[in-house]
Amino acid sequence: MKRKSLALPAVAGLLTSALTACGGPDGSGADDGAIVLGSTDRIEASKAAPAPLDPAQAYDFASWSVLHNAFQTLMRLPRSGTEPIPDAAQKCGFQDRQSEQYRCTLRSGLKFSNGHALTSEDVKFSLDRMLRIKDRNGPVSLLSNVDRVETPTSREVVIHLRAPDATFPSKLTTPAAALLDSEVYRGNALRKGFSLVGSGPYQAKTEVRDDRLVKVRFTRNPNYQGDVKPDSDKVEMRFFDSAPAMEKALTKGDIDVVHRGFSPGQIDQLNKGEVEGVRLFESSGQGIRYLVFDTDAPVVGTKAVRQAIAHLVDRQALVRDVYKRTAEPLYSLIPNNVISHTNSFYNEYGDPDPDAARTALRNAGVSTPVKLTLTYTTDHYGPETAQEFKELRSQLNRSGLFKVKIKGVRWTEFRPNLPKREYAAYGMGWLPDFPDPDNYIAPFLTKDNFLGSPYRDNSVQDELIPRTRQESQRTRASGDFQTIQNTVADDVPYLPLWQGNTYVAARENITGAEYAFDSSTMLQLWELGRGAGS
């Protein structure tokens, strides 16, 4: 919730088949030479979420992929690496040793795509607006530590924090801190629909059908002031009904790049070079999949029940049989390629062990079989999700200790229901907002966690997380992060399942595909270009 969804697997798309074959006369991309990306993501407006491209409400991979390329932030992540660098800011830094006062000087001559000047007042407006609207489905938790914002001059901004936070510069790289035109956006209400005005490298024009986004046209923003130098003046993002339709369009040359949505079987074909003229770029991903338990609910509110499930789940079977080894088993909320990771769940529970699960339930006086419903979303993480939950159901029921049912719910209903705690146990995915172990811990374990989980551990919330945020040298916080991971493994408010790799498929004449994602898996359209002779 990134927001939050995984780079794999496929998600239900939007385009009808009539729109999937829109290539230019040379069989490459759009008629005007724009680089065309395909995705099966679904971005739609609903009664519960009427503003899918408003930074105050948008909090998922698909929406952030649009926002990141149209809006500027004070800081951004470089092409590679995890240390934030200035974006709309000329320079930024903490003004105290406690990491509580953050000061930025803006670049000179900043403008929005509509020509309006961008000043420090717009920065203050944008941060204050996020905190004022406080949308329960949005990314407000990333900025909840902001106490007040001051604007000494038109180019200076001083952000005062409630508590020390060395990760705050990283939070300013996310669309949660997108800079908005105070003459366009209202300070106390969402901007409904799909129109947007920013100051990023691209300006975006959206095409909508039946309250669903079907196409985004990105063109170079002539008013952009910053270090990013787009390799293409025009980029188009199209949304497909299915992964097979998208694969057909890529093979024909109607689209140039696929950054999201292929099934594990299609990934395998691409990896073997079976799709002519297309290259596949693979990197170790930071997206995770996990189960959430309402620790105040009947049945799963009993710790022994959650621990028994942890004893029974076979992650190896999930990644082998469902995801065809495009993912890896995960034994912590923090992925194994992020600093401070430790295999807490494996250390606590080891390999699947029905006898250990039975002992945990018996010692707690829990009668078996335990009746439980696992809920998942049918149209956000792809068709493999249903198969994954069938496998989980089978694993738990085979033990004889559980009688599990599964229930699929559409994302437009599923996501708004999470803060209301409508489901006792359900599946979710997460992509990091920024590349730091804090972003796999705080969003889940603080009082204002984005899922509305009632789980609390006073030591984690009041001592360990604040202490990790005081460490500007992030490796020094590893001991506290490991203690937190061990606490989660013991209490099991969440059960990590797997982490997925990241894949980008691109036609051979496309350059920059290997840099399409930054270190937080944020899409960087400006890296894409066409090679000589294309």
Side-chain angles (χ1 to χ4, degrees):
M1 257 219 273
K2 197 103 98 338
R3 67 202 178 16
K4 296 274 156 173
S5 53
L6 294 175
L8 281 174
V11 215
L14 305 177
L15 288 181
T16 63
S17 58
L19 288 174
T20 61
C22 304
D26 61 352
S28 181
D31 291 334
D32 61 356
I35 292 177
V36 182
L37 283 81
S39 171
T40 56
D41 274 325
R42 189 181 189 96
I43 303 176
E44 59 185 322
S46 65
K47 184 177 180 180
L53 294 182
D54 188 319
Q57 186 169 84
Y59 201 17
D60 62 88
F61 177 88
S63 296
W64 275 26
S65 293
V66 176
L67 301 187
H68 184 60
N69 292 280
F71 287 100
Q72 261 185 311
T73 46
L74 289 172
M75 304 290 285
R76 69 178 180 88
L77 292 174
R79 168 185 276 191
S80 58
T82 62
E83 192 66 30
I85 60 176
D87 186 9
Q90 184 178 40
K91 60 180 181 179
C92 285
F94 282 109
Q95 300 301 299
D96 62 336
R97 293 183 178 179
Q98 288 74 37
S99 300
E100 290 182 310
Q101 186 185 113
Y102 198 72
R103 180 182 292 266
C104 292
T105 301
L106 300 181
R107 296 178 187 270
S108 178
L110 288 174
K111 291 182 180 180
F112 292 100
S113 59
N114 59 10
H116 294 173
L118 193 169
T119 71
S120 61
E121 288 297 328
D122 293 295
V123 178
K124 174 177 170 58
F125 168 83
S126 302
L127 300 181
D128 287 347
R129 177 180 184 268
M130 176 69 73
L131 296 170
R132 187 181 302 114
I133 292 177
K134 202 175 182 178
D135 189 277
R136 65 191 306 175
N137 292 314
V140 64
S141 61
L142 289 171
L143 300 181
S144 61
N145 193 29
V146 173
D147 182 29
R148 68 185 188 279
V149 182
E150 297 176 338
T151 55
T153 71
S154 63
R155 290 181 56 200
E156 290 183 291
V157 180
V158 182
I159 304 170
H160 297 270
L161 304 181
R162 300 179 189 277
D165 186 2
T167 72
F168 187 68
S170 295
K171 293 172 181 175
L172 290 179
T173 69
T174 72
L179 303 183
L180 309 179
D181 185 347
S182 57
E183 297 182 57
V184 173
Y185 289 81
R186 295 170 59 188
N188 59 357
L190 295 169
R191 183 177 172 84
K192 298 180 180 180
F194 298 85
S195 63
L196 62 166
V197 176
S199 60
Y202 290 103
Q203 49 191 343
K205 183 178 180 180
T206 58
E207 183 177 319
V208 180
R209 183 175 303 160
D210 298 327
D211 290 327
R212 297 175 183 175
L213 190 61
V214 297
K215 184 186 297 183
V216 186
R217 292 280 295 173
F218 294 93
T219 56
R220 188 190 291 260
N221 177 10
N223 293 321
Y224 170 70
Q225 296 290 328
D227 291 336
V228 169
K229 295 177 173 56
D231 282 345
S232 182
D233 290 339
K234 299 176 183 178
V235 183
E236 183 174 295
M237 192 180 295
R238 297 180 192 165
F239 301 91
F240 286 78
D241 279 332
S242 66
M246 185 169 62
E247 180 184 11
K248 182 179 179 180
L250 179 66
T251 303
K252 289 175 60 180
D254 292 336
I255 60 176
D256 302 294
V257 181
V258 170
H259 68 287
R260 180 171 165 83
F262 276 159
S263 69
Q266 289 171 309
I267 293 294
D268 185 55
Q269 285 184 316
L270 289 164
N271 196 39
K272 293 176 180 178
E274 295 178 6
V275 182
E276 186 177 355
V278 176
R279 295 180 296 168
L280 183 68
F281 299 88
E282 177 181 358
S283 60
S284 181
Q286 296 181 336
I288 68 172
R289 179 69 63 83
Y290 56 96
L291 294 178
V292 183
F293 300 110
D294 183 346
T295 54
D296 280 352
V299 184
V300 296
T302 300
K303 180 176 174 179
V305 172
R306 305 193 300 271
Q307 291 178 325
I309 294 172
H311 276 299
L312 293 172
V313 167
D314 187 344
R315 296 168 176 82
Q316 294 285 354
L318 286 176
V319 301
R320 180 189 65 237
D321 300 336
V322 179
Y323 291 101
K324 312 302 180 186
R325 306 190 190 282
T326 59
E328 301 175 38
L330 181 62
Y331 298 94
S332 169
L333 287 175
I334 300 177
N336 59 29
N337 54 351
V338 175
I339 59 169
S340 302
H341 164 86
T342 186
N343 286 319
S344 297
F345 274 83
Y346 190 84
N347 297 339
E348 182 75 19
Y349 302 99
D351 293 321
D353 188 344
D355 290 335
R358 183 176 294 105
T359 299
L361 294 173
R362 182 189 304 119
N363 289 345
V366 177
S367 298
T368 58
V370 177
K371 294 182 179 180
L372 176 65
T373 298
L374 295 179
T375 306
Y376 65 95
T377 178
T378 58
D379 59 343
H380 193 71
Y381 298 121
E384 289 82 8
T385 307
Q387 185 180 349
E388 176 182 8
F389 274 75
K390 289 177 182 177
E391 173 64 24
L392 287 170
R393 178 182 62 188
S394 177
Q395 291 178 8
L396 296 177
N397 288 350
R398 273 200 307 266
S399 70
L401 301 173
F402 285 87
K403 189 174 182 180
V404 173
K405 296 180 180 179
I406 58 175
K407 179 182 178 182
V409 180
R410 285 176 55 83
W411 180 254
T412 51
E413 176 186 349
F414 180 85
R415 182 62 183 95
N417 280 342
L418 302 188
K420 302 175 187 177
R421 293 162 55 188
E422 294 285 336
Y423 315 120
Y426 59 92
M428 280 290 286
W430 178 260
L431 278 167
D433 303 311
F434 54 91
D436 188 278
D438 177 88
N439 197 234
Y440 293 92
I441 296 298
F444 300 91
L445 301 176
T446 56
K447 183 178 180 180
D448 61 350
N449 69 85
F450 82 106
L451 292 170
S453 169
Y455 173 75
R456 299 287 182 273
D457 182 283
N458 292 334
S459 176
V460 169
Q461 181 175 295
D462 300 332
E463 299 175 22
L464 295 175
I465 291 177
R467 197 158 67 208
T468 64
R469 289 177 169 175
Q470 294 178 30
E471 294 290 353
S472 57
Q473 297 294 324
R474 302 305 290 153
T475 55
R476 294 179 181 175
S478 291
D480 285 336
F481 278 124
Q482 289 173 8
T483 299
I484 294 170
Q485 291 170 87
N486 291 338
T487 300
V488 172
D490 180 56
D491 289 341
V492 203
Y494 305 97
L495 182 65
L497 298 174
W498 53 268
Q499 67 182 86
N501 296 327
T502 299
Y503 298 90
V504 177
R507 298 201 58 84
E508 291 179 340
N509 64 335
I510 297 299
T511 62
E514 64 269 38
Y515 302 115
F517 292 121
D518 66 15
S519 55
S520 66
T521 324
M522 201 83 77
L523 185 63
Q524 304 179 125
L525 295 179
W526 55 81
E527 294 286 357
L528 300 175
R530 292 195 190 278
S534 62

